[in-house]
Amino acid sequence: LHRVDRRQRQMCIRDRMYAIAIETATRANDMLNKGLNEHALGMALQGLSRYEEAITYIERARTTFSTFQGSESTYIADTYLSEGISYEGLKLFDQALAAYGEVYKRYVAIQGPNSVVVAYAINNIAWVFRRMGNFDQSYDWFSRALPIIDHHEGQFSINAGKVRINLGIVEYQRGNSDEAIRWTMRAMPFIRANKETTLSDQRWAFDTLARAFRAKNDPNRAIVFAKLSVNAHQSIRKKNSELAASETKALSNEWRWIYQHLADLLIEQGRISEAQAVLNMEKEQEVFEFLRRDGGAAIRNTQSLLNDAELSEQEKVEAIAKMPIQAARELTSLMAKLDRGEATSEDEDRIFLLQESVQIAVDQFEEDLEAFLENLDLAESDSLKEQMKAVGAYQTVLEGFEQKAAILQIASIADATHLFLTLPQITIHEKINISKADLSRLVFNALQAIEARAPDVNEHLQALHAVLLAPISDALKESKTEIIMLNLDGFLRYIPFAALFDGESYAVEKYAFALYSTVVPTQFVRSDRRSTKTVGFGVTAAHPGFSALPGVRKELETIFVGDDATGVLNGKTELDEAFDQRNLKRALLRKPEILHIASHFNLVPGREDDSFLLLGDGEHLLLSDIRRKKALSFRGIDLLTLSACQTARGSGDGSEIEGFAATAQLNGASSVMASLWPVSDEATPQLMRQFYHNMVTEGLSKAGALRSAQIEMLHGNDIVASLEDRGAIALNEAPSATEKVTFAHPYFWSAFILMGNWL
């Protein structure tokens, strides 16, 4: 009956309970049943968050009970308990405390001060004090409840675990992060033993751990536990998928803060894509997996994925929680038997054995917990060190280019951002006083504005320009730089540099851009650009877990020469069933210079066996197979284009972009082009056709061809985009159908990035 139990109960109530309660109350023939049914109706309304109506029926039940049992019965106490819960729901905390005070007084009088129901009432009083912000009184009341529950139910019981979770929450609020972690971790045994029935408790416990570790400046563990909290809530939503829309909205509003907390943690660490996906879960909009083009995700089934490092942290927690739950339960049962005077001598011997076993487990658990807490600080990555060393050595890379090129390295660290601009003869360093967390927020806000096709997008892009390009703009101008090769780290790889805005024009109007990775040696060699040495593959049909891509057929027909002879490339194309592994291998045998693939690609950073390209026959072509199998070599391919959505973004911190480019290049591809967000089915064919025309027919470099195509779309027409015809739903609310969004918006032309050999 205490606070956490009733929250879990609320999640499982349906409208049918409401109907049954009404019918039963109508048919009640005696005062006791009438009171019970009135109370049941009040509880049903309470479970639907209809608190004022609930109080009306609860008060009726109290009046009914009073007529035949007086004012001191357990039934009366129960009505005060339910009334207190409803007042909590209305945030009338003084009234809730008064109701729980009545519960406490009556339970003490009826069952004694150390009865377990008294402990439940104490727990509810403690929780109200917590909600009022009176954390010291809350802690004192929780501390009074715990030994009573431990005595009656055992310290590994569900209710004992709930009180420990509550103590952890309050200790965090009192600023005692270490104690918050200790109390909450002591609840892990009962959570581990009851995973499916403790989802509400998991939500609270993991959120407390996330906040406590964040307070201890341990963002990695904070993110792990914040993900677990969100996942617990997602499971609750899944179990309540039949709730009416109004109840679903209420549930979402009540718990919005756990999504926002996780998103905030991820943004601080530059994990932009994950933050966006988490906010989409909260909004019940499209959840974009890597390369998902359209709205087909079952939102309540979505979980926040843990990467390998995070899984290892979860495993540590589970290892600590390996307690003799069954022994503790048996001991509780035998102790109850002993209290009733029913225990045999064999039972007593069994109690002694179980007590010793449980004590050993308790001692071991405390040792393991302390060992876990001793090593809180995870090793921080040193990836920036290599990036910031010997930048002048890159000058030799630039000497062989006919076009004026520069290498821009950006290092975003805790309290500042460093720009290293390498020109053929000199390297310039600029320090900008903006922290990694603040810069990450600028990037996140810009991406949100782009994907929402927001009218104020240029304000966000200008804020980024002021940090990343403005400090070196004079040097770029004086050196007459045409190509900027970007050597980036982490979340900086998500930035569409072509779209950065200086207040008057976009960066693409001055420079071409390409990502330059030091992971693999890049051979800057220009290919022959024969239009016949090309091949295209695409998927239009839906497959399990992936929705249809209706725009792909038009894309390939626009790019490749067909019956209408309007395309640019003269190679062969294969769609759907014809796009199988055998035909892909056959095409690779002929070493095409350009390989264009329009399909879903699921990239899980660091997990090659879970990352795959969706083939047209539904087969998953694993990234690990692409890396290992000679028959899938990209050797001889001058450009691999992945035109499905977010092909350059996975669920990581930005490292997946370089990781995938490196995989493709190590496997033979000279360069890779991919997208940073779900691309438009309407705009992409036009952009791609112009890109290939510029590259193959006009002879421009790949970087120059992309820049020219982007500028043409930016300035070439005033076509109003058909928002309903897009292949993906944006992360934020899309403009209404009456608003005019043209292809000049950065959403339509700046999604694609070029990686590797840009010649």
Side-chain angles (χ1 to χ4, degrees):
L1 293 175
H2 69 305
R3 194 267 316 162
V4 188
D5 272 339
R6 64 96 179 171
R7 284 181 179 272
Q8 190 165 349
R9 181 185 67 211
Q10 286 177 358
M11 301 303 174
C12 300
I13 291 177
R14 299 287 187 274
D15 276 327
R16 60 177 175 272
M17 293 180 61
Y18 175 69
I20 291 170
I22 292 175
E23 182 182 354
T24 306
T26 303
R27 293 186 286 109
N29 296 318
D30 58 81
M31 296 302 289
L32 175 61
N33 283 339
K34 184 174 185 294
L36 289 172
N37 290 322
E38 287 170 337
H39 193 191
L41 177 55
M43 291 171 64
L45 290 165
Q46 181 187 92
L48 298 173
S49 299
R50 293 158 64 173
Y51 299 117
E52 291 179 348
E53 296 173 76
I55 291 172
T56 299
Y57 282 94
I58 291 166
E59 289 176 342
R60 289 183 189 176
R62 187 182 306 134
T63 300
T64 302
F65 289 140
S66 297
T67 60
F68 72 95
Q69 281 201 331
S71 62
E72 302 300 323
S73 70
T74 301
Y75 294 117
I76 297 293
D78 289 346
T79 64
Y80 278 113
L81 180 65
S82 296
E83 187 175 76
I85 292 171
S86 288
Y87 279 127
E88 273 196 72
L90 293 169
K91 298 184 180 179
L92 299 174
F93 299 127
D94 288 334
Q95 289 93 321
L97 278 178
Y100 290 146
E102 294 293 333
V103 176
Y104 175 73
K105 179 177 66 176
R106 284 169 170 75
Y107 282 165
V108 168
I110 296 168
Q111 300 194 33
N114 294 315
S115 66
V116 72
V117 291
V118 168
Y120 296 160
I122 291 172
N123 182 83
N124 280 27
I125 292 170
W127 184 255
V128 174
F129 277 124
R130 179 263 172 194
R131 296 191 72 184
M132 296 173 72
N134 192 335
F135 303 121
D136 290 338
Q137 283 209 58
S138 179
Y139 184 85
D140 291 342
W141 281 91
F142 279 133
S143 298
R144 289 174 59 183
L146 184 61
I148 300 175
I149 292 175
D150 279 353
H151 172 75
H152 285 281
E153 300 180 359
Q155 61 181 306
F156 300 131
S157 67
I158 289 177
N159 289 328
K162 291 174 187 290
V163 177
R164 285 175 168 82
I165 291 171
N166 291 338
L167 282 164
I169 292 170
V170 173
E171 281 289 54
Y172 168 73
Q173 296 289 353
R174 296 207 304 174
N176 301 326
S177 296
D178 286 332
E179 287 306 307
I181 293 169
R182 286 186 172 89
W183 277 118
T184 310
M185 292 296 288
R186 290 185 180 109
M188 287 298 111
F190 104 86
I191 285 178
R192 184 177 184 275
N194 303 277
K195 284 186 177 180
E196 292 303 313
T197 58
T198 59
L199 291 172
S200 179
D201 305 292
Q202 292 173 42
R203 185 171 51 189
W204 284 105
F206 293 140
D207 178 72
T208 299
L209 290 170
R211 294 176 187 277
F213 279 116
R214 187 180 192 180
K216 291 176 66 64
N217 197 28
D218 188 346
N220 295 304
R221 280 193 174 94
I223 288 171
V224 170
F225 288 113
K227 283 185 175 183
L228 293 176
S229 179
V230 165
N231 288 347
H233 185 62
Q234 287 292 99
S235 296
I236 290 171
R237 292 169 73 184
K238 182 179 179 181
K239 287 177 179 291
N240 288 271
S241 59
E242 297 176 5
L243 283 176
S246 60
E247 295 149 23
T248 299
K249 184 176 181 180
L251 179 61
S252 175
N253 289 339
E254 184 177 6
W255 291 95
R256 175 171 289 128
W257 49 271
I258 64 171
Y259 295 91
Q260 293 171 340
H261 181 232
L262 173 55
D264 195 51
L265 278 165
L266 292 165
I267 292 169
E268 284 185 354
Q269 299 304 306
R271 295 163 69 168
I272 303 296
S273 289
E274 285 184 273
Q276 289 177 313
V278 167
L279 291 180
N280 275 329
M281 285 190 237
E282 181 265 314
K283 293 175 185 175
E284 291 200 299
Q285 294 181 4
E286 166 82 331
V287 176
F288 288 113
E289 297 174 4
F290 189 69
L291 283 203
R292 186 179 294 278
R293 246 189 205 196
D294 42 7
I299 186 71
R300 294 187 178 105
N301 296 340
T302 306
Q303 296 278 290
S304 186
L305 294 178
L306 275 68
N307 61 34
D308 287 345
E310 291 168 346
L311 285 170
S312 68
E313 286 299 306
Q314 185 181 16
E315 288 162 2
K316 289 179 186 177
V317 174
E318 297 223 344
I320 290 174
K322 287 181 180 177
M323 303 293 292
I325 301 295
Q326 295 301 325
R329 288 174 177 165
E330 185 182 353
L331 178 60
T332 300
S333 176
L334 287 174
M335 290 298 292
K337 191 175 180 180
L338 184 67
D339 290 342
R340 296 193 301 269
E342 300 171 0
T344 65
S345 59
E346 289 80 9
D347 290 334
E348 291 177 353
D349 291 338
R350 182 66 175 167
I351 287 172
F352 298 146
L353 177 63
L354 290 170
Q355 285 176 328
E356 182 177 359
S357 173
V358 171
Q359 186 60 51
I360 291 172
V362 170
D363 294 341
Q364 184 61 50
F365 175 74
E366 292 295 331
E367 291 179 15
D368 291 343
L369 176 57
E370 291 303 319
F372 176 76
L373 295 174
E374 283 176 4
N375 185 29
L376 291 181
D377 296 327
L378 296 179
E380 189 172 352
S381 171
D382 291 330
S383 61
L384 293 180
K385 291 182 180 179
E386 285 300 317
Q387 188 188 18
M388 295 173 65
K389 284 196 315 183
V391 291
Y394 295 121
Q395 293 173 10
T396 57
V397 175
L398 303 173
E399 293 175 355
F401 298 134
E402 292 183 9
Q403 289 182 280
K404 299 286 187 178
I407 297 176
L408 175 59
Q409 296 169 273
I410 304 176
S412 182
I413 58 178
D415 59 354
T417 298
H418 295 264
L419 308 182
F420 298 88
L421 180 65
T422 302
L423 302 168
Q425 301 298 326
I426 191 173
T427 296
I428 298 168
H429 170 232
E430 295 285 348
K431 178 183 177 182
I432 298 89
N433 292 321
I434 182 171
S435 68
K436 179 178 180 179
D438 289 341
L439 180 56
S440 179
R441 291 183 194 285
L442 290 183
V443 175
F444 181 81
N445 292 338
L447 290 174
Q448 291 283 79
I450 288 174
E451 294 187 47
R453 285 105 50 224
D456 65 346
V457 64
N458 283 349
E459 295 177 19
H460 299 285
L461 294 169
Q462 190 169 357
L464 281 177
H465 185 280
V467 175
L468 303 176
L469 288 183
I472 57 172
S473 60
D474 288 343
L476 291 169
K477 184 177 180 180
E478 290 174 9
S479 64
K480 299 182 180 180
T481 295
E482 301 172 71
I483 308 290
I484 298 179
M485 300 164 60
L486 299 165
N487 183 8
L488 305 175
D489 182 71
F491 69 93
L492 297 168
R493 297 185 180 106
Y494 295 144
I495 299 172
F497 275 80
L500 297 190
F501 190 69
D502 65 6
E504 296 181 357
S505 61
Y506 294 101
V508 73
E509 297 177 80
K510 297 178 181 177
Y511 314 106
F513 294 90
L515 288 188
Y516 172 61
S517 173
T518 59
V519 175
V520 291
T522 301
Q523 300 297 319
F524 289 97
V525 179
R526 187 183 180 92
S527 68
D528 293 334
R529 309 279 170 84
R530 289 169 290 184
S531 67
T532 55
K533 295 277 289 183
T534 59
V535 64
F537 291 97
V539 176
T540 68
H543 292 279
F546 296 97
S547 300
L549 300 176
V552 165
R553 182 180 299 277
K554 178 182 176 182
E555 182 176 318
L556 293 184
E557 289 175 350
T558 302
I559 295 168
F560 286 84
V561 175
D563 295 337
D564 56 7
T566 59
V568 177
L569 306 181
N570 283 294
K572 187 178 181 181
T573 61
E574 303 283 9
L575 279 172
D576 294 327
E577 291 294 331
F579 177 22
D580 59 13
Q581 189 168 158
R582 180 176 179 82
N583 280 336
L584 176 60
K585 289 178 179 178
R586 182 183 292 115
L588 292 174
L589 277 177
R590 294 174 172 79
K591 293 183 172 52
E593 292 181 356
I594 297 174
L595 173 59
H596 185 101
I597 298 177
S599 178
H600 296 286
F601 195 101
N602 186 74
L603 179 62
V604 182
R607 290 158 60 179
E608 288 188 345
D609 288 335
D610 294 320
S611 303
F612 59 84
L613 171 70
L614 178 70
L615 301 182
D617 61 355
E619 182 183 352
H620 293 178
L621 183 58
L622 301 180
L623 187 60
S624 56
D625 287 342
I626 295 174
R627 184 186 288 274
R628 291 193 299 261
K629 293 185 177 181
K630 290 184 178 181
L632 295 170
S633 171
F634 295 149
R635 191 163 303 282
I637 293 177
D638 184 47
L639 174 65
L640 168 62
T641 299
L642 296 171
S643 74
C645 296
Q646 285 181 216
T647 42
R649 260 168 61 192
S651 57
D653 61 357
S655 59
E656 72 273 12
I657 293 178
E658 183 170 284
F660 179 73
T663 298
Q665 287 179 272
L666 284 169
N667 203 27
S670 179
S671 60
V672 178
M673 191 161 74
S675 60
L676 290 170
W677 54 79
V679 293
S680 163
D681 277 344
E682 188 177 11
T684 300
Q686 292 189 38
L687 181 71
M688 284 292 172
R689 185 189 185 284
Q690 191 61 42
F691 165 70
Y692 286 125
H693 171 78
N694 295 338
M695 180 177 132
V696 176
T697 306
E698 299 297 328
L700 298 182
S701 68
K702 294 170 216 164
L706 178 58
R707 173 179 178 253
S708 180
Q710 290 173 327
I711 291 174
E712 179 161 335
M713 181 162 284
L714 171 61
H715 293 299
N717 56 62
D718 293 323
I719 295 176
V720 176
S722 172
L723 300 180
E724 293 80 7
D725 193 37
R726 289 187 311 112
I729 299 172
L731 293 169
N732 289 340
E733 291 287 338
S736 68
T738 59
E739 290 187 54
K740 293 184 178 181
V741 180
T742 71
F743 284 167
H745 194 284
Y747 168 80
F748 294 100
W749 57 264
S750 66
F752 286 95
I753 57 172
L754 184 66
M755 297 171 273
N757 175 21
W758 53 266
L759 288 178

